């Protein structure tokens, strides 16, 4: 993991699903948008988005039940830096 940071819902609002499912149980699969490019989403809600940037350049979008996951992850990474 390179970095983890909270993302406002409006930044991800116009993301396009390129492969996966979205609807009743959440949003899972491959998405893309202008700001982050290709992303893999594991989202069960439409708020509290956390972007996890991996060292190989991939982006994961998670929606934890509580705020603060990004801060917990960043504290565990000695050479990580917050990016937005």
């Amino acid at each position: 993991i390179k970095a983890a940071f909270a993302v406002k819902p409006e930044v991800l609002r116009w993301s396009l699903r390129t492969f996966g499912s979205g609807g009743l149980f959440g949003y899972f699969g491959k998405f893309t948008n202008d700001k982050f490019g290709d992303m893999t989403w594991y989202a069960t809600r439409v708020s509290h988005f956390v972007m996890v940037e991996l060292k190989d350049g991939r982006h994961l979008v998670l929606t934890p039940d509580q705020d603060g996951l990004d801060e917990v992850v960043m504290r565990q990474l000695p050479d990580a830096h917050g990016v937005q």
Side-chain angles (χ1 to χ4, degrees):
I1 296 175
K2 180 179 176 183
F5 49 91
V7 178
K8 294 180 181 173
E10 54 268 13
V11 174
L12 298 175
R13 181 169 290 134
W14 298 108
S15 297
L16 299 173
R17 182 176 57 232
T18 57
F19 181 80
S21 65
L24 184 61
F25 296 109
Y27 302 91
F28 306 95
K30 304 293 183 183
F31 290 76
T32 189
N33 76 10
D34 291 337
K35 181 165 176 120
F36 296 111
D38 295 333
M39 304 168 281
T40 302
W41 286 28
Y42 302 99
T44 56
R45 46 194 323 192
V46 293
S47 62
H48 303 288
F49 290 105
V50 173
M51 178 74 66
V52 177
E53 184 178 355
L54 302 178
K55 290 181 181 179
D56 63 5
R58 291 182 294 153
H59 293 93
L60 306 177
V61 175
L62 310 173
T63 55
D65 288 336
Q66 298 176 342
D67 287 336
L69 175 67
D70 53 325
E71 296 166 6
V72 171
V73 171
M74 292 304 291
R75 281 196 303 264
Q76 302 300 316
L77 301 173
D79 61 341
H81 60 285
V83 181
Q84 270 196 7

mmCIF file of all heavy atoms in Angstrom, residues 6 9 27 38 44 58:
data_model
loop_
_atom_site.group_PDB
_atom_site.id
_atom_site.type_symbol
_atom_site.label_atom_id
_atom_site.label_comp_id
_atom_site.label_asym_id
_atom_site.label_seq_id
_atom_site.Cartn_x
_atom_site.Cartn_y
_atom_site.Cartn_z
ATOM 1 N N ALA A 6 -9.441 9.518 2.317
ATOM 2 C CA ALA A 6 -10.879 9.652 2.134
ATOM 3 C C ALA A 6 -11.147 10.409 0.831
ATOM 4 O O ALA A 6 -10.385 11.295 0.452
ATOM 5 C CB ALA A 6 -11.495 10.400 3.311
ATOM 6 N N PRO A 9 -17.809 11.843 -1.966
ATOM 7 C CA PRO A 9 -18.686 11.151 -2.926
ATOM 8 C C PRO A 9 -18.830 11.856 -4.259
ATOM 9 O O PRO A 9 -18.901 11.205 -5.302
ATOM 10 C CB PRO A 9 -20.027 11.060 -2.195
ATOM 11 C CG PRO A 9 -19.685 11.154 -0.752
ATOM 12 C CD PRO A 9 -18.469 12.034 -0.677
ATOM 13 N N TYR A 27 -21.635 -1.835 -4.958
ATOM 14 C CA TYR A 27 -20.949 -1.596 -6.221
ATOM 15 C C TYR A 27 -19.628 -2.355 -6.182
ATOM 16 O O TYR A 27 -18.768 -2.056 -5.351
ATOM 17 C CB TYR A 27 -20.709 -0.097 -6.414
ATOM 18 C CG TYR A 27 -21.992 0.684 -6.384
ATOM 19 C CD1 TYR A 27 -22.487 1.205 -5.193
ATOM 20 C CD2 TYR A 27 -22.735 0.858 -7.538
ATOM 21 C CE1 TYR A 27 -23.675 1.899 -5.162
ATOM 22 C CE2 TYR A 27 -23.937 1.554 -7.514
ATOM 23 C CZ TYR A 27 -24.400 2.071 -6.324
ATOM 24 O OH TYR A 27 -25.582 2.745 -6.296
ATOM 25 N N ASP A 38 -8.519 4.047 -13.810
ATOM 26 C CA ASP A 38 -9.139 2.753 -13.506
ATOM 27 C C ASP A 38 -9.081 2.463 -12.013
ATOM 28 O O ASP A 38 -8.069 2.721 -11.353
ATOM 29 C CB ASP A 38 -8.429 1.633 -14.264
ATOM 30 C CG ASP A 38 -8.599 1.760 -15.757
ATOM 31 O OD1 ASP A 38 -9.615 2.336 -16.194
ATOM 32 O OD2 ASP A 38 -7.723 1.281 -16.492
ATOM 33 N N THR A 44 -20.220 -1.045 -0.410
ATOM 34 C CA THR A 44 -21.564 -1.471 -0.024
ATOM 35 C C THR A 44 -22.435 -0.283 0.366
ATOM 36 O O THR A 44 -23.561 -0.463 0.792
ATOM 37 C CB THR A 44 -21.509 -2.458 1.158
ATOM 38 O OG1 THR A 44 -20.798 -1.847 2.229
ATOM 39 C CG2 THR A 44 -20.828 -3.747 0.743
ATOM 40 N N ARG A 58 -2.346 0.710 -8.885
ATOM 41 C CA ARG A 58 -3.772 0.383 -8.862
ATOM 42 C C ARG A 58 -4.471 1.162 -7.754
ATOM 43 O O ARG A 58 -3.856 1.541 -6.766
ATOM 44 C CB ARG A 58 -3.977 -1.116 -8.638
ATOM 45 C CG ARG A 58 -3.535 -1.950 -9.823
ATOM 46 C CD ARG A 58 -3.784 -3.419 -9.602
ATOM 47 N NE ARG A 58 -2.915 -3.884 -8.512
ATOM 48 C CZ ARG A 58 -3.197 -4.909 -7.725
ATOM 49 N NH1 ARG A 58 -4.293 -5.598 -7.884
ATOM 50 N NH2 ARG A 58 -2.355 -5.261 -6.761
#
